[in-house]
């Protein structure tokens, strides 16, 4: 039997949506198999069915030739399917061994268990120390813990959801070496990613989904990133690239900003300085958890600043509330959509009132104009192709990509003088990302200053005129993006200064 | 096996039918309770439910009881939406009675149309002052307002006792712990001749409609809802949590104080130690029964007024224990909370989680359906 997993005409309906429409494909032994598709193509539903979170309405699954009907994730794990989620499910205050034991029925984190973790991690080339506290580990190390946890149950199939989205380029390279090693040991991997170049590197087969159906099966090694993207969206794709800018006066200026850490595992911002000029897009790269949250919250005005200054068109905004900063021309699109940028239980119309009350004229003397808010919401929905039944839909009912389009669209539609956007296309498919990128570029061309904080280096490299890297609360000097090589960026993300480490390793 | 699972959307139908279902189940459980203690259940329920509507005096008394409940609950529901938990309305009500009553006594014998509004104002300021303690402690030091506001209630009740036994005692009252009976200019105008239905009843709909407008169409109401639902989005929107805490506690404290001043000068007519009878706590039930909606609260206050008047009527007619009113109100809240669960969740029958890993795999995908039958 050559196939590890066989999926046959699996169908899953949700009210009003056919999420999986007779999906069939198979994963062979010792194969890294890519699952590709835009947001809403049905990948998540399929993966949830494979991992026992959802049950299919129709169709069959088989694992190594035997029927496979997991009633819940525990049953899926027992049958031999492991999964590494994009967002880790680890307790930061506990040790590696305790975290791994928690996921395994009947295990206790004693010495014998720690020894088994050590043996297994050496065997697979995944160095982890069982006694360390998760909170002290880097993101790459945490991911290793998640993988080791799966391997402890000796799975036949490992599902990985966007594993590189949280890693530096170097950490991603290490992960690829690990995954290739696992493949050589006979493990099959179902690999979900938006990054087409890494799929071409890593995978031997790819299944492409669109609108709940499988539209193509191919060997990604013989395709280009562009042809894969076009299979996913079913149309030809034009990736917008920022034109060289002729920057105007400085709009936003941050001077030696110190911000205390948020929470026990936050990062203290230490003397962050930057300027963004009119007509310019400044990118801030770096791995999540290096002070991005603190920088964003300080710019919005949600957290206290310990030292330094934030100037908007030369005037300090310290001490001004988020509403007052918006009034002065500054808008914000934070990373967390539900719970920060938007309120899940409110309608899209009500959600426009969160950040667009004054600039879009939705409120006068404190009295809300719901008609105007609904028109504004409908305008954002139309301009940014938000898939929803209309402005009266509650935010919770939207998919992640559509929420992202709405929450960033809400800010761009206010035509701010300065826009600060964190992870503007996180979890958004290629076509929608292009829409958002085009809108950001157009905003800059119209004379606004745009600051993009992102973990997606491809995005930053195509979008920003200048690029700086945030690492451990310190921001590197911004340099023209075209002058920075990937190796230099990687070294900065790892926390080394350009002059020091890079020359030593080069 | 049954499992609770969240509904994708809160059920709007259930949201408004739960109060009716809860009232129905309260009647059913009261029936069983009467049966157990050996009382004719139909007769007892008749006293509880029918008596309050049987004559025009009872009907006016319903309004007299409902007015303070509604005023207090209107303020509380504003805060409950914003996650500001004022549990001490009873204390603020008592302070309203003290301040309103003291004002009336200070101007004893002075006639004038200005006096009664001044008494109302004094009552509101008294309630607000009492609520400002939990507000200041919460906003400055992060102290939980539930505990502080609740404990302030006991101070207020003892303060009232001390005052009517001392400085506010009736000089001609044979040392009874009571104040003078208020004079004509200090008591609320009567709405319906021959009853105790006073002007405070007319204030309720005005306050309710204003608060409804505020929560529906004004930025303040929106900010309270947003801060209550999603505090971080509220901060992102530029709303201040501290300001919301102060606003909610001042409005609920002020309305509870107004209710206290109206109660002392209206139906009671003097300051006595027994002014606080639990309206401030019952108003919490009223707020939830009315779905924290200003108009709903008014109807809920009428329902709870029925439990007071009907309960007392059954006590007198059938010599039932005095705890009856409290038991009825407790049952109502109990059933309301049970049914409220189903607004956000639903019960689903599911197959047993595991039937042994291998055999389950061989029975095919239909197992999940047959397992539940």
């Amino acid at each position: 039997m050559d196939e590890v997993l066989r999926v046959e005409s699996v169908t899953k309906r949700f009210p009003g949506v056919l999420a999986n429409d007779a999906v069939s494909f198979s994963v062979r032994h010792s194969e890294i198999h890519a699952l590709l598709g835009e947001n809403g193509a049905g990948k998540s539903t399929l993966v949830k069915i494979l991992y026992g979170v959802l049950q299919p309405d129709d169709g069959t699954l088989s694992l190594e030739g035997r029927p496979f009907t997991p009633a819940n994730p525990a049953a899926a794990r027992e049958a031999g399917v492991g999964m590494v989620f994009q967002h880790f499910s680890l307790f930061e205050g506990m040790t590696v061994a305790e975290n791994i034991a928690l996921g395994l029925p009947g295990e206790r984190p004693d010495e014998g268990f720690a020894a088994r973790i050590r043996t297994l991690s050496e065997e697979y080339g995944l160095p982890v120390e069982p006694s360390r506290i998760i909170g002290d580990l880097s993101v790459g190390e945490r991911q290793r813990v998640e993988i080791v946890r799966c391997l402890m149950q000796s799975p036949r199939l490992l599902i990985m959801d966007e594993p590189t989205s949280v890693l530096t380029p170097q950490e991603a390279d290490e992960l690829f070496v690990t995954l290739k090693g696992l493949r050589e040991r006979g493990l099959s991997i179902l690999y979900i990613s938006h990054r087409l170049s890494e799929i071409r590197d890593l995978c031997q087969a790819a299944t492409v989904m669109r609108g709940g159906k499988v539209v193509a099966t191919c060997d990604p090694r013989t395709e280009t990133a562009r042809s894969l993207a076009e299979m996913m969206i079913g149309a030809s794709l034009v990736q917008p690239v920022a034109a060289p800018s002729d920057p105007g006066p400085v709009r936003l200026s941050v001077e030696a900003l110190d911000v205390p850490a948020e929470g026990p595992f936050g990062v203290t911002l230490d003397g962050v300085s930057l300027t963004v000029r009119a007509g310019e897009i400044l990118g801030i790269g770096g791995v999540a958890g290096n002070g991005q949250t603190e920088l964003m919250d300080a710019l919005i005005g949600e957290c206290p600043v310990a030292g330094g200054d934030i100037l908007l068109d030369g005037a300090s905004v310290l001490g001004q509330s988020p509403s007052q900063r918006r009034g002065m021309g500054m808008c914000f699109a934070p990373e967390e959509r539900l719970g920060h940028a938007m309120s899940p239980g409110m309608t899209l119309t009500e959600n426009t009132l969160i950040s667009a009350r004054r600039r879009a004229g939705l409120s006068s003397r404190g009295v809300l104009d719901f008609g105007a808010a609904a028109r504004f919401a409908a305008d954002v929905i139309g301009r940014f192709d938000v898939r929803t039944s209309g402005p009266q839909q509650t935010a919770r009912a939207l998919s992640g990509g559509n929420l992202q389009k709405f929450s960033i669209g809400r800010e761009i539609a206010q035509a701010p003088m300065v826009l600060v956007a964190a992870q503007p296309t996180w979890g958004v498919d290629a076509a929608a990302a292009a829409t958002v990128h085009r809108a950001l570029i157009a905003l800059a061309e119209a004379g606004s200053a745009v600051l993009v904080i992102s973990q997606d280096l491809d995005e930053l490299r195509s979008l920003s005129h200048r690029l700086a890297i945030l690492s451990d609360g310190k921001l590197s000097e911004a340099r023209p993006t075209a002058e920075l090589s990937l190796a230099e960026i990687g070294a900065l993300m790892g926390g080394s200064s350009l002059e020091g480490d890079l020359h030593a390793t080069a | 096996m049954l499992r609770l699972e969240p509904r994708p959307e809160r059920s709007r139908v259930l949201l408004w039918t739960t109060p009716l279902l809860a009232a129905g189940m309260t009647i059913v459980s009261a029936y069983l309770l009467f049966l157990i203690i050996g009382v004719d259940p139909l007769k007892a329920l008749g006293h509880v439910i029918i008596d309050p509507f049987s004559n025009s005096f009872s009907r006016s008394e319903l309004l007299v009881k409902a007015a303070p409940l509604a005023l207090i609950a209107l303020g509380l529901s504003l805060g409950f939406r914003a996650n500001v938990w004022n549990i001490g309305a009873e204390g603020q009500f008592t302070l309203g009675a003290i301040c309103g009553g003291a004002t009336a006594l200070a101007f004893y014998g002075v006639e004038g149309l200005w006096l009664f509004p001044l008494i109302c104002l004094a009552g509101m300021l008294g309630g607000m002052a009492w609520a400002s303690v939990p507000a200041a402690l919460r906003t400055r030091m992060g102290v939980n307002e539930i505990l502080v506001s609740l404990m302030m209630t006991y101070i207020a009740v003892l303060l009232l006792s001390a005052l009517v036994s001392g400085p506010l005692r009736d000089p001609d009252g044979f040392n009874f712990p009571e104040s003078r009976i208020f004079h004509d200019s200090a008591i609320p105008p009567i709405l319906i001749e021959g009853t105790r239905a006073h002007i405070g009843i007319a204030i309720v709909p005005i306050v309710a409609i204003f608060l409804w407008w505020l929560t529906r169409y004004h930025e303040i109401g929106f900010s309270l809802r947003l801060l209550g639902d999603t505090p971080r989005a509220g901060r992102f929107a530029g709303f201040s949590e501290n300001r919301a805490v102060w606003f909610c506690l001042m409005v609920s404290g002020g309305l509870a104080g107004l209710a206290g001043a109206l109660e002392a000068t209206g139906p009671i007519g003097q300051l006595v130690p027994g002014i606080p009878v639990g309206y401030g706590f019952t108003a919490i039930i009223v707020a939830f029964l009315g779905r924290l909606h200003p108009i709903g609260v008014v109807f809920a206050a009428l329902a709870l007024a029925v439990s007071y008047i009907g309960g007392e009527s059954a006590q007198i007619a059938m010599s039932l224990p005095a705890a009856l009113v409290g038991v009825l109100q407790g049952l109502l809240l109990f059933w309301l909370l049970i049914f409220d669960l189903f607004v956000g969740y639903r019960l689903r029958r599911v197959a047993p989680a595991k039937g042994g890993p291998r055999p389950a795999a061989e029975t095919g995908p239909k197992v999940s359906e047959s397992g539940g039958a």
Side-chain angles (χ1 to χ4, degrees):
Chain A
M1 179 61 62
D2 187 33
E3 286 166 5
V4 172
L5 173 76
R6 182 169 193 84
V7 174
E8 246 172 312
S9 49
V10 160
T11 297
K12 179 74 186 174
R13 264 178 217 91
F14 291 115
V17 197
L18 195 55
N20 281 176
D21 183 2
V23 170
S24 300
F25 73 98
S26 55
V27 180
R28 281 174 305 190
H29 257 298
S30 308
E31 174 179 83
I32 304 184
H33 189 110
L35 189 58
L36 288 174
E38 299 188 86
N39 291 105
K43 301 187 304 274
S44 308
T45 305
L46 186 62
V47 167
K48 281 180 185 164
I49 290 172
L50 293 177
Y51 198 53
V53 179
L54 293 173
Q55 272 67 46
D57 296 330
D58 208 358
T60 56
L61 306 174
S62 55
L63 196 65
E64 298 192 311
R66 279 192 301 272
F68 172 55
T69 56
N72 53 40
R77 285 196 294 269
E78 203 163 335
V81 175
M83 178 149 181
V84 176
F85 290 92
Q86 184 179 13
H87 297 286
F88 308 144
S89 43
L90 297 171
F91 294 96
E92 296 200 328
M94 297 172 77
T95 66
V96 169
E98 285 166 341
N99 267 287
I100 293 177
L102 270 176
L104 303 174
E107 293 287 359
R108 297 172 57 79
D110 51 21
E111 249 329 291
F113 186 68
R116 272 165 57 209
I117 294 175
R118 262 187 220 104
T119 317
L120 185 123
S121 69
E122 276 161 28
E123 189 188 331
Y124 284 98
L126 286 158
V128 293
E129 172 47 49
S131 61
R132 289 186 69 190
I133 303 284
I134 295 290
D136 298 335
L137 300 184
S138 74
V139 179
E141 287 172 310
R142 292 182 198 198
Q143 190 174 52
R144 256 180 255 153
V145 175
E146 289 267 3
I147 297 173
V148 167
R149 174 153 76 184
C150 290
L151 294 179
M152 289 293 280
Q153 291 192 311
S154 37
R156 297 345 163 255
L157 177 72
L158 188 62
I159 304 173
M160 302 201 76
D161 187 10
E162 300 256 354
T164 56
S165 63
V166 291
L167 302 180
T168 65
Q170 279 86 349
E171 282 176 323
D173 286 341
E174 280 174 37
L175 174 71
F176 298 154
V177 172
T178 305
L179 295 183
K180 285 172 183 165
L182 293 177
R183 180 182 71 202
E184 275 156 27
R185 281 158 195 278
L187 189 69
S188 304
I189 300 171
L190 186 61
Y191 190 87
I192 300 161
S193 176
H194 277 115
R195 297 186 183 174
L196 301 170
S197 54
E198 65 189 37
I199 282 171
R200 290 179 52 236
D201 258 10
L202 196 63
C203 303
Q204 291 81 53
T207 296
V208 184
M209 293 182 71
R210 188 167 72 232
K213 292 194 180 82
V214 171
V215 289
T217 307
C218 62
D219 182 346
R221 289 168 297 189
T222 63
E223 301 286 335
T224 64
R226 191 193 182 92
S227 67
L228 287 171
E230 290 180 355
M231 275 185 234
M232 278 161 60
I233 62 173
S236 55
L237 179 73
V238 186
Q239 180 64 37
V241 175
S245 75
D246 179 17
V250 172
R251 279 257 140 88
L252 174 70
S253 159
V254 174
E255 291 171 359
L257 191 69
D258 296 330
V259 179
E262 287 182 12
F265 299 104
V267 172
T268 308
L269 284 191
D270 179 10
V272 167
S273 296
L274 59 89
T275 56
V276 198
R277 293 169 175 277
E280 183 187 47
I281 301 177
L282 175 68
I284 293 185
V287 177
N290 273 285
Q292 284 93 338
T293 319
E294 285 79 6
L295 177 60
M296 189 70 193
D297 288 356
L299 289 170
I300 298 174
E302 286 186 48
C303 71
V305 165
D309 207 349
I310 301 170
L311 304 167
L312 183 61
D313 286 329
S316 176
V317 298
L318 289 188
Q320 308 270 24
S321 77
S323 307
Q324 286 167 321
R325 294 181 192 200
R326 288 191 188 99
M328 293 166 75
M330 200 170 168
C331 283
F332 319 93
E335 172 183 356
E336 197 184 331
R337 298 164 283 214
L338 276 190
H340 192 187
M342 296 170 77
S343 179
M346 290 189 168
T347 66
L348 295 181
T349 300
E350 289 171 312
N351 267 295
T352 64
L353 297 169
I354 290 176
S355 70
R357 293 190 303 281
R358 284 190 179 65
R359 292 191 69 78
L362 310 181
S363 153
S364 71
R365 292 167 176 270
V367 181
L368 303 170
D369 183 345
F370 280 92
R375 284 191 295 278
F376 182 76
D379 178 47
V380 172
I381 290 167
R383 265 178 73 185
F384 292 88
D385 187 29
V386 180
R387 313 274 165 84
T388 168
S389 59
Q392 75 295 336
Q393 180 77 270
T394 47
R396 190 189 286 123
L398 264 65
S399 76
N402 282 310
L403 272 177
Q404 178 67 19
K405 286 189 269 181
F406 188 86
S407 82
I408 191 138
R410 179 182 68 182
E411 308 305 325
I412 293 174
Q414 297 180 51
M417 300 304 358
V418 172
L419 177 67
V420 186
Q423 307 281 31
T425 56
W426 187 79
V428 165
D429 58 60
T435 309
V436 169
H437 287 163
R438 257 194 298 278
L440 289 173
I441 291 166
L443 191 67
E445 279 170 357
S448 300
V450 179
L451 178 63
V452 177
I453 304 172
S454 175
Q455 292 170 57
D456 185 343
L457 282 180
D458 294 341
E459 168 173 274
L460 290 176
R461 278 152 63 90
S462 72
L463 199 61
S464 55
H465 300 107
R466 287 186 303 136
L467 187 57
I469 302 294
L470 194 57
S471 171
D472 198 23
K474 295 188 181 67
L475 188 69
S476 75
E477 199 183 330
R479 293 181 37 194
T481 309
E483 291 177 12
L484 274 169
S485 72
L486 203 52
E488 284 172 303
I489 295 171
L492 286 170
M493 285 166 78
S496 54
S497 72
L498 268 185
E499 292 73 29
D501 267 6
L502 181 68
H503 292 293
T505 52
Chain B
M1 203 170 90
L2 291 175
R3 194 174 65 180
L4 270 180
E5 61 171 36
R7 293 176 191 272
E9 295 275 311
R10 277 154 54 90
S11 161
R12 293 207 72 80
V13 177
L14 270 182
L15 185 66
W16 288 101
T17 46
T18 25
L20 300 176
L21 286 172
M25 284 309 292
T26 303
I27 293 172
V28 172
S29 12
Y31 183 95
L32 294 174
L33 204 65
F34 289 134
L35 214 59
I36 291 167
I37 61 170
V39 175
D40 179 358
L42 283 179
K43 200 170 151 214
L45 280 176
H47 282 298
V48 174
I49 299 165
I50 312 290
D51 279 7
F53 300 98
S54 58
N55 59 59
S56 64
F57 181 75
S58 295
R59 287 195 289 272
S60 75
E61 279 298 290
L62 270 184
L63 298 179
V64 172
K65 292 272 187 212
L69 289 175
L71 277 178
I72 301 168
L74 281 169
L76 293 184
S77 54
L78 202 66
F80 291 170
R81 282 195 158 196
N83 260 332
V84 178
W85 301 96
N86 179 5
I87 303 299
E90 184 80 351
Q92 295 138 25
F93 174 88
T94 307
L95 251 285
I98 291 173
C99 294
T103 309
L105 296 172
F107 292 96
Y108 187 73
V110 180
E111 300 295 331
L113 282 175
W114 50 270
L115 181 56
F116 185 69
L118 183 69
I119 287 168
C120 290
L121 186 69
M124 288 173 75
L125 290 175
M128 287 161 82
W130 219 240
S132 71
V133 176
L137 288 175
R138 154 114 186 233
T139 53
R140 302 221 171 154
M141 298 175 192
V143 182
N144 186 312
E145 76 279 12
I146 297 177
L147 293 175
V148 179
S149 63
L150 180 62
M151 291 190 293
M152 294 287 291
T153 299
Y154 303 105
I155 304 176
V157 172
L158 292 172
L159 181 67
L160 174 64
S161 285
L163 288 174
V164 293
S165 312
L168 299 182
R169 188 178 51 194
D170 183 356
D172 311 317
F174 310 103
N175 260 346
F176 279 108
E178 292 175 356
S179 77
R180 279 187 167 129
I181 292 176
F182 303 132
H183 67 291
D184 280 355
S185 276
I187 60 172
I190 293 296
L191 282 183
I192 308 163
E193 210 51 54
T195 70
R196 302 201 295 169
H198 55 83
I199 191 87
I201 292 161
I203 296 175
V204 172
I206 297 168
V207 173
I209 289 168
F210 175 73
L211 287 182
W212 170 77
W213 175 82
L214 191 81
T215 48
R216 181 78 184 80
Y217 291 107
H218 199 277
E219 225 171 271
I220 292 173
F222 179 73
S223 75
L224 297 181
R225 201 147 55 90
L226 186 61
L227 285 166
D229 286 355
T230 324
R232 188 132 190 249
R235 287 195 290 277
F236 176 64
F239 298 128
S240 153
E241 270 173 315
N242 284 351
R243 215 177 292 168
V245 169
W246 273 104
F247 182 82
C248 292
L249 279 163
M250 288 305 98
V251 170
S252 54
L255 285 174
L258 175 64
L262 287 169
E263 192 67 12
T265 54
I268 297 173
Q270 65 183 137
L271 285 181
V272 294
I275 286 180
V277 287
Y279 284 163
F281 296 117
T282 307
I284 298 169
I285 307 178
V286 172
F288 283 105
L289 189 66
R291 316 277 72 188
L292 306 182
H293 187 287
I295 309 300
V297 160
V298 173
F299 288 100
L302 283 169
L304 266 292
V306 170
S307 79
Y308 272 113
I309 303 214
E312 279 165 17
S313 167
Q315 277 169 45
I316 295 163
M318 302 177 68
S319 29
L320 289 173
L324 179 61
V325 174
V327 169
L328 288 176
Q329 292 178 355
L331 280 172
L332 184 61
L333 183 63
F334 173 80
W335 285 114
L336 186 71
L337 293 176
I338 297 252
F339 286 116
D340 256 0
L341 185 66
F342 296 100
V343 175
Y345 292 82
R346 62 184 166 203
L347 267 184
R348 244 182 89 170
R349 186 173 274 195
V350 290
K354 252 195 300 193
R358 295 300 162 207
E362 279 156 18
T363 44
K366 295 283 182 264
V367 72
S368 60
E369 282 159 39
S370 58

